[in-house]
Amino acid sequence: MIKRLFTLTIMILILLVSSTLSFASSHHYYTSQKFSNGKTAKYVLLNLNATDISPAMGLANNKILAADSLQNIVNTRAIEGKKAFAAVNGTYFSAYNGVPVPYGTIIDKGKLLHIGNYGAVLGITKDKKLVIDNLKIEITGSIDGVENQYYTWGINHPRTEPDAIMIFTPDFAGSTQMPDAQNVIVRNGKVAQKNSGNTAIPSDGFVISFNPSMHYLMERFNIGSTVDYTPEFLSTRENATEADHAVWKDVVYAVGAGPSLILNNTITADGAKEGFTEAKINTQRSQRSFVGYREDGRVIIGTVANASITELSQICKELNLKSAMNLDGGASSALLYNGSYKTNPGRNINNALIFFE
């Protein structure tokens, strides 16, 4: 009898040790947790420092102008030899007018795809350092090597204002969708054509579209001229340093939304201060998605039902997040883990933050 009890005890200890080792070797997990304000968060915690974990941005149909399910976005944004184990919906987008363009900043594989210039932006550098900050991006263009020859309002977002100037890349869609614009079509870095109206975007270049009151700038561009553009990243946070600006030059993945919830261990959660005007974002309770990171580089993506940004910031503080921000919410709120929805979205979405192993 004693021998049997001893054997059983050893077997239990072996199982416990094996279970502990299995948990310790895992770089991510999903859980649901209730917090002191009575709200429950569903979230995935992952160790971005692990060499086998990689981040990515996902776009519906691999285009800026599209919407699809989070699951399909994850399936489309494949990385060879890696499995997508977690994803959360990204930035706000135009969900109701049939033109599903995003509103926030998006960077994927080091390429600036869209500019928001409000709220907050999560950036991940090439060596997987993390930053969340209030960010302004300005774009200036060069012609034949001479800088500051033109500027643009942004990238991959049709505008109707008469003084709007926009750049469109192949990541947007098949054409520019600015019918009143005059356009400079750049292929392989050189002006290939100039035309008017909605125009096709070349796969080997980009289009600069000038709305009516800016048509006079067209005369600066000659066929065959070398044309380029450069983004400048500036932190707009109070007391920002040169290092706060410089880190964005190394960012390869970014998603902008907001409002920020915590910045450098200080609760912020002030939508009006960051350019938001809608009560459903600033003060009302709703379904929320969020992303944040701890001092040690561990990342948390999650969702909370029926919460205000103040309540969400309190949850993030209890999760020991150094910095965190609100993502698109309501029917867009979605969380995916190991192929199944933990929070099921009520509509198709435009973009997502994805993690692979």
Side-chain angles (χ1 to χ4, degrees):
M1 183 67 178
I2 295 175
K3 185 176 181 180
R4 287 181 180 177
L5 287 172
F6 178 76
T7 303
L8 182 60
T9 302
I10 293 297
M11 289 177 67
I12 292 171
L13 286 172
I14 290 171
L15 287 171
L16 286 172
V17 170
S18 298
S19 175
T20 302
L21 288 174
S22 175
F23 180 80
S25 65
S26 175
H27 300 309
H28 55 82
Y29 65 84
Y30 164 81
T31 191
S32 177
Q33 180 181 343
K34 192 171 184 178
F35 292 83
S36 62
N37 58 12
K39 303 297 179 181
T40 297
K42 302 175 182 178
Y43 64 89
V44 176
L45 186 147
L46 60 99
N47 183 7
L48 197 59
N49 292 319
T51 57
D52 63 339
I53 289 185
S54 304
M57 284 301 300
L59 300 175
N61 303 325
N62 283 328
K63 295 291 182 183
I64 289 292
L65 185 64
D68 204 345
S69 70
L70 176 59
Q71 183 66 73
N72 286 344
I73 291 174
V74 169
N75 293 342
T76 300
R77 181 61 167 95
I79 296 179
E80 187 175 353
K82 295 196 173 189
K83 169 194 171 185
F85 68 88
V88 65
N89 64 288
T91 186
Y92 303 99
F93 72 104
S94 181
Y96 305 111
N97 64 3
V99 187
V101 289
Y103 294 135
T105 293
I106 299 175
I107 299 174
D108 187 39
K109 293 180 282 189
K111 188 176 182 181
L112 180 63
L113 302 182
H114 196 267
I115 295 174
N117 282 348
Y118 71 102
V121 184
L122 165 73
I124 306 174
T125 69
K126 55 189 174 184
D127 54 359
K128 296 199 285 190
K129 290 181 180 178
L130 295 147
V131 58
I132 293 178
D133 206 349
N134 305 126
L135 185 68
K136 182 179 181 181
I137 304 173
E138 297 179 343
I139 292 179
T140 56
S142 65
I143 303 174
D144 290 327
V146 181
E147 296 180 353
N148 297 315
Q149 294 301 293
Y150 70 97
Y151 66 93
T152 73
W153 285 25
I155 295 179
N156 293 325
H157 198 114
R159 303 296 293 254
T160 58
E161 296 90 337
D163 55 342
I165 306 172
M166 299 300 298
I167 286 175
F168 293 93
T169 73
D171 307 283
F172 175 66
S175 60
T176 57
Q177 302 194 22
M178 286 179 60
D180 298 325
Q182 290 187 2
N183 310 292
V184 175
I185 296 92
V186 180
R187 302 189 63 177
N188 294 315
K190 293 188 177 183
V191 177
Q193 184 184 356
K194 297 195 288 185
N195 65 12
S196 299
N198 184 30
T199 192
I201 303 169
S203 60
D204 56 356
F206 58 93
V207 176
I208 314 168
S209 295
F210 300 84
N211 268 355
S213 66
M214 309 306 290
H215 284 176
Y216 71 93
L217 291 174
M218 293 287 291
E219 65 185 29
R220 298 185 181 184
F221 299 85
N222 298 312
I223 302 299
S225 290
T226 299
V227 176
D228 202 354
Y229 61 90
T230 303
E232 182 180 8
F233 301 89
L234 298 169
S235 168
T236 60
R237 186 170 34 85
E238 292 180 9
N239 302 316
T241 67
E242 284 300 320
D244 294 322
H245 306 316
V247 68
W248 291 95
K249 294 179 181 178
D250 294 325
V251 166
V252 290
Y253 301 103
V255 57
S260 64
L261 302 169
I262 299 173
L263 293 178
N264 294 326
N265 297 309
T266 300
I267 289 181
T268 48
D270 187 342
K273 185 177 180 180
E274 295 187 1
F276 294 93
T277 58
E278 296 180 80
K280 67 179 182 180
I281 294 175
N282 291 344
T283 57
Q284 294 176 3
R285 290 188 174 96
S286 66
Q287 177 73 30
R288 302 276 181 178
S289 296
F290 69 96
V291 59
Y293 61 90
R294 293 177 175 172
E295 291 277 4
D296 63 1
R298 293 179 186 269
V299 175
I300 291 180
I301 55 174
T303 61
V304 181
N306 193 34
S308 67
I309 60 167
T310 300
E311 292 167 333
L312 187 57
S313 68
Q314 293 166 350
I315 289 170
C316 290
K317 196 68 174 177
E318 289 184 39
L319 284 168
N320 298 315
L321 297 179
K322 175 183 177 180
S323 292
M325 73 180 198
N326 186 61
L327 296 167
D328 191 7
S332 295
S333 183
L335 182 65
L336 196 68
Y337 183 69
N338 280 344
S340 65
Y341 282 112
K342 302 304 180 182
T343 299
N344 204 325
R347 60 172 169 238
N348 289 339
I349 60 174
N350 176 266
N351 59 86
L353 177 62
I354 308 171
F355 293 92
F356 292 83
E357 66 176 344

